[in-house]
Amino acid sequence: MRINRTMSGNDGGAYTTPILEKPSYRNSGIIKAVTESGEKIQVARIDYESFENEEFQYIISPFWDIIDVLSPKVFQGIPGIDMNLRLEHYYRVNYVPVFMTERTPGESREDLWELLESVGLDYYDRLEWLIRTNLRAAIDNLIVERARDERKKTSVSERKVFRKVLEESQYGDIIEVTDLRVVGRNSKECTKQLNRLMHYGVHLISRKESVDLEVKDYKALLPVFYRMYQMDEENRKNEQKKGIERAKKEGVYAGRKRKEVDEELLTDLIGKFQNGKLELEEVLEITGLSRSTFYRRMKAFHERKFE
């Protein structure tokens, strides 16, 4: 007999005792917290398993080494899960966890099959629907994307390829680079990418520098890289100031010039960036613009477009 209970409470009792048999069906996703800038931080894995006797279970496995470095603004927890228990796995046996009921259609919903068909489903699997749908719950910033069962190790020697591999990575993957210049051109970019590696739960190996960083290592290392970035910025500004002072003494300083970028190229890059075909870092590398300058140009582009 299938028992389908939806309930919440402390982890303990029959509904949290795992079924240890081999499932007849399994589906998996990665729960991600989406930041205001659009970064998708991996916070947990969710598995759905069903069995021949019609029993089922959900398993939510938090990535504590990532969660522990996140601010409350980015991650407030997983609904229905007592995060204070800090369990490796949270089991919900023969009932649908709160996290799923809050963001997926129930079996009694009148338009259920319309919703299933809208994502190409001809069977009822709440997790699969959640993975496929573009609809987002308004209650928090959590989404679910498909998980791989196997961990990947990828060797990379180009910065553009590194960014692509990182975006497709999931918790536990390994990226091996020839040297740290593949990660970033300077300390600022390296700091940003190391932060993303930490948020994605990716293990980094750099052969030239003999660097071997697991997720737990980033927290201690990032302040060092950030300080290096601050020092680079201070040195750059000091050199810039000296150059301006020399130019003023020589009477050749005419103020800061607007950086010219081909208008047709910029229009094309703005379109590709907004359609998700190019990352912001790629656009900045092509144009040589700073982040703030690019966004100002993009805003001006849209204002002209709708005049």
Side-chain angles (χ1 to χ4, degrees):
M1 179 179 179
R2 180 174 176 175
I3 304 170
N4 191 350
R5 293 169 291 174
T6 303
M7 55 197 300
S8 61
N10 294 328
D11 276 73
Y15 71 95
T16 61
T17 302
I19 301 172
L20 301 179
E21 299 168 17
K22 184 177 180 180
S24 57
Y25 172 79
R26 193 169 195 260
N27 199 3
S28 304
I30 300 292
I31 301 174
K32 301 181 179 182
V34 183
T35 67
E36 291 179 354
S37 63
E39 184 182 4
K40 298 175 182 178
I41 302 175
Q42 304 187 28
V43 295
R45 181 185 177 100
I46 181 168
D47 297 292
Y48 168 72
E49 298 178 343
S50 60
F51 302 85
E52 294 291 348
N53 62 359
E54 295 192 336
E55 289 193 310
F56 66 93
Q57 66 183 357
Y58 286 87
I59 310 165
I60 297 177
S61 308
F63 302 146
W64 292 112
D65 42 5
I66 296 177
I67 290 171
D68 287 344
V69 301
L70 300 180
S71 71
K73 183 179 179 182
V74 174
F75 179 68
Q76 299 84 39
I78 298 171
I81 296 297
D82 186 353
M83 306 295 285
N84 291 323
L85 297 176
R86 294 187 65 85
L87 301 179
E88 184 178 358
H89 305 293
Y90 291 80
Y91 292 90
R92 296 294 180 262
V93 180
N94 290 325
Y95 77 86
V96 183
V98 172
F99 175 77
M100 294 298 296
T101 60
E102 288 183 338
R103 63 199 75 227
T104 60
E107 285 182 284
S108 60
R109 186 160 169 165
E110 288 186 5
D111 60 348
L112 174 63
W113 288 102
E114 291 178 24
L115 290 169
L116 295 176
E117 288 171 5
S118 71
V119 296
L121 274 176
D122 58 3
Y123 61 95
Y124 185 52
D125 178 345
R126 297 178 86 141
L127 181 55
E128 182 63 27
W129 183 87
L130 186 56
I131 290 170
R132 293 191 190 191
T133 187
N134 290 322
L135 299 175
R136 296 289 178 255
I139 53 175
D140 54 40
N141 64 334
L142 301 179
I143 64 169
V144 177
E145 294 185 344
R146 193 173 306 283
R148 285 183 274 104
D149 283 333
E150 76 285 352
R151 294 184 177 183
K152 288 174 62 175
K153 180 177 180 179
T154 309
S155 295
V156 180
S157 58
E158 297 179 10
R159 195 175 301 124
K160 186 175 181 180
V161 177
F162 170 81
R163 287 195 291 259
K164 184 175 185 298
V165 171
L166 178 56
E167 283 304 312
E168 296 173 353
S169 295
Q170 75 174 35
Y171 187 87
D173 284 353
I174 300 172
I175 298 179
E176 183 179 57
V177 297
T178 49
D179 63 81
L180 285 175
R181 286 177 298 181
V182 175
V183 177
R185 293 170 295 175
N186 49 46
S187 56
K188 179 180 179 181
E189 195 169 316
C190 277
T191 302
K192 180 179 179 180
Q193 297 293 25
L194 286 171
N195 202 55
R196 294 177 74 189
L197 283 159
M198 177 177 66
H199 287 164
Y200 285 40
V202 177
H203 182 163
L204 176 69
I205 297 173
S206 179
R207 294 199 296 269
K208 183 177 180 181
E209 293 87 0
S210 299
V211 168
D212 191 333
L213 296 174
E214 297 182 31
V215 181
K216 61 181 176 60
D217 300 321
Y218 292 117
K219 186 176 181 180
L221 188 65
L222 275 167
V224 177
F225 270 85
Y226 184 67
R227 181 54 190 149
M228 288 171 61
Y229 156 61
Q230 288 180 315
M231 290 169 63
D232 287 347
E233 282 294 288
E234 289 167 5
N235 290 336
R236 183 186 66 79
K237 288 178 180 178
N238 286 335
E239 290 301 315
Q240 185 182 49
K241 186 178 179 180
K242 289 177 183 177
I244 291 172
E245 288 173 353
R246 283 197 301 270
K248 284 181 176 178
K249 287 179 181 178
E250 295 169 7
V252 294
Y253 180 67
R256 186 175 178 181
K257 294 182 180 179
R258 174 184 169 90
K259 189 171 183 66
E260 295 301 326
V261 179
D262 182 78
E263 196 69 24
E264 188 175 331
L265 171 64
L266 186 60
T267 300
D268 180 58
L269 292 174
I270 288 172
K272 288 180 177 177
F273 169 67
Q274 292 184 319
N275 291 329
K277 294 180 180 178
L278 282 177
E279 293 291 324
L280 177 60
E281 289 80 5
E282 294 177 277
V283 175
L284 300 183
E285 189 170 345
I286 293 169
T287 60
L289 298 175
S290 68
R291 179 189 294 261
S292 57
T293 301
F294 171 69
Y295 278 115
R296 282 199 302 273
R297 301 279 180 94
M298 186 165 64
K299 181 181 178 182
F301 167 79
H302 286 297
E303 288 172 349
R304 291 196 305 272
K305 184 178 179 181
F306 293 106
E307 281 179 354

